[in-house]
């Protein structure tokens, strides 16, 4: 009997060791998949079309496989138009900058929208018009329908690679010698990404427009300064996933209860983050409901929380003065501080456009403009504009924002556009 027991124990032990060795040899996962893989295969096309963020919400959609996971890109507009790459903010996916992109596409631009931060709602008229006539977009890592890369910090380098992946996936040349280069429009976190990319590749960039830009923010709102966001590598080992979910949900003003396929009921919008609440109140017709898109993303993207925390620790949101000074050197034509390749860039000896929200409590116009002026040295190299609204101003003030950009670039006025 004792021999039988010892034999059984030995067998179990060997089996356990064998399983442990097999698991040890397995490579850890490289990505956390987006709803493209975890949700869409389980629902019908009709259900997909009814999602707060349908996968074909913008024209020119494509899924691009990369070493860091699959990313969603949208691109549309006249093929021979001036190329413009939009980079969204930290919380929402690509559709957020649709109204501005729509306007610029109607003025002849080829647009690629590169996703991340505001929350807003489009009217039925503007959304249908955009579907017929405009350019493109993309979801940043861990947002919308783009996967979350694991094992790499969500810093300017990772997002810079995403820009190159998006550009390389186009049927048009965005970076070749004959491409003519492209301009950047970055909102919030996207502003920090835009400046970091331009600092490394100024020869590719024609012009820079910053909308309430991150990068040199002196201080984030208190809820974003919690100690938990400062040490992201410790969070999964120290805190349970449910606590992390509640922490991020509270920070963003979202409900932490999980609701598959659709999304949880929204909180009172007065409790949401400043850009989400404002955008939800802007337009009455519910076609593109950004607050619900953010909640749906929170409910259904398994990698969003990881990407959000990593971005706030490593991303180009604060303390990016070195990159900004490098860009300012190119813009003001400082030959002693720029590479020879930058001298032929349209960005060399040019001007930056920066647009702020009048009541923005996240990116304060007075502070950012003062710090940027200190770096660039001469006000003739930067143009500041202020529009009504808080951090979510690009939607309620989209026409004004588009006009400022169009005037800055010398595009046709809206009065001269075909109806």
């Amino acid at each position: 009997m004792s021999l039988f027991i010892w034999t059984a124990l030995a067998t179990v032990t060997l089996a356990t060791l064998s399983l442990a060795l097999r698991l040890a040899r397995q490579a850890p996962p490289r990505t956390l998949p987006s709803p493209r893989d975890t949700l869409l295969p389980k629902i019908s096309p009709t259900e997909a079309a009814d999602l707060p963020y349908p996968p074909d919400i913008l024209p020119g959609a494509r899924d691009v496989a990369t070493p860091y996971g699959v990313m969603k890109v949208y691109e549309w507009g006249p093929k021979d138009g001036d190329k413009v790459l939009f980079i969204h903010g930290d919380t929402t996916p690509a559709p957020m900058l649709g109204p501005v992109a729509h306007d610029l596409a109607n003025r002849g631009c080829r647009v690629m929208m590169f996703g991340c931060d505001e929350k807003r709602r489009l009217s039925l008229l503007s959304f249908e018009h955009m579907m017929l006539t405009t350019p493109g977009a993309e979801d940043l890592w861990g947002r919308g329908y783009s996967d979350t890369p694991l094992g790499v910090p969500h810093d300017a380098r990772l997002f810079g690679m995403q820009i190159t992946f998006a550009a390389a996936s186009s049927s048009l040349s965005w970076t070749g010698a004959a491409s003519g280069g492209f301009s950047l429009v970055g909102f919030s976190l996207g502003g920090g990404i835009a400046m970091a990319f331009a600092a490394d590749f100024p020869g590719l960039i024609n012009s820079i427009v910053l909308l309430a830009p991150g990068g040199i923010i002196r201080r984030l709102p208190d809820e974003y300064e919690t100690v938990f966001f400062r040490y992201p590598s410790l969070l999964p080992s120290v805190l349970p996933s449910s606590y992390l979910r509640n922490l991020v949900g509270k920070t963003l003003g979202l409900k932490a209860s999980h609701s598959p396929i659709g999304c949880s009921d929204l909180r009172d919008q007065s409790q949401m983050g400043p850009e989400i609440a404002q955008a939800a109140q802007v337009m009455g017709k519910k076609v593109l409901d950004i607050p619900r898109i953010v909640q749906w993303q929170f409910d259904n993207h398994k990698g969003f929380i990881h990407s959000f925390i990593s971005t706030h620790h490593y991303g180009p949101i604060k303390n990016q003065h070195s990159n900004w000074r490098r860009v300012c050197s190119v813009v003001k034509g400082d030959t002693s501080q720029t590479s020879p390749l930058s001298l032929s860039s349209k960005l060399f000896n040019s001007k930056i456009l920066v647009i702020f929200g009048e009541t923005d409590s996240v990116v304060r116009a007075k502070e950012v403009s003062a710090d940027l002026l200190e770096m660039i040295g001469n006000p003739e190299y930067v143009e500041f504009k202020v529009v009504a609204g808080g951090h979510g101003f690009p939607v309620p003030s989209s026409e004004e924002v588009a006009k400022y950009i169009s005037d800055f670039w010398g595009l046709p006025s809206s009065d001269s556009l075909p109806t």
Side-chain angles (χ1 to χ4, degrees), residues 289-308:
D289 191 334
I290 295 296
R292 294 196 69 84
I293 289 178
V294 176
Q295 182 69 61
W296 171 84
Q297 175 181 257
F298 184 70
D299 288 346
N300 292 280
H301 198 309
K302 294 183 177 181
F304 170 71
I305 292 175
H306 175 94
S307 291
F308 176 82

Side-chain angles (χ1 to χ4, degrees), residues 271-292:
Q271 301 178 34
M272 291 182 167
E275 63 280 339
I276 303 177
Q278 182 191 29
Q281 298 166 0
V282 171
M283 297 185 183
K285 293 185 178 181
K286 180 183 174 183
V287 174
L288 182 59
D289 191 334
I290 295 296
R292 294 196 69 84

Side-chain angles (χ1 to χ4, degrees), residues 153-168:
H154 284 49
D155 58 12
R157 296 169 300 176
L158 183 66
F159 292 122
M161 286 298 299
Q162 194 171 13
I163 293 176
T164 61
F165 293 149

Side-chain angles (χ1 to χ4, degrees), residues 344-394:
S344 60
S345 166
K346 292 181 181 179
L347 191 63
F348 186 80
N349 196 24
S350 62
K351 182 182 284 191
I352 298 174
L353 173 63
V354 188
I355 305 177
F356 297 103
E358 185 177 19
T359 58
D360 192 343
S361 61
V362 179
V363 178
R364 294 173 173 84
K366 184 177 180 180
E367 296 177 353
V368 174
S369 58
D371 293 345
L372 179 54
L373 277 173
E374 184 275 328
M375 285 184 281
I376 209 161
N378 190 326
E380 72 179 46
Y381 295 114
V382 61
E383 183 173 332
F384 297 112
K385 297 293 184 182
V386 178
V387 300
H391 196 53
F393 72 81

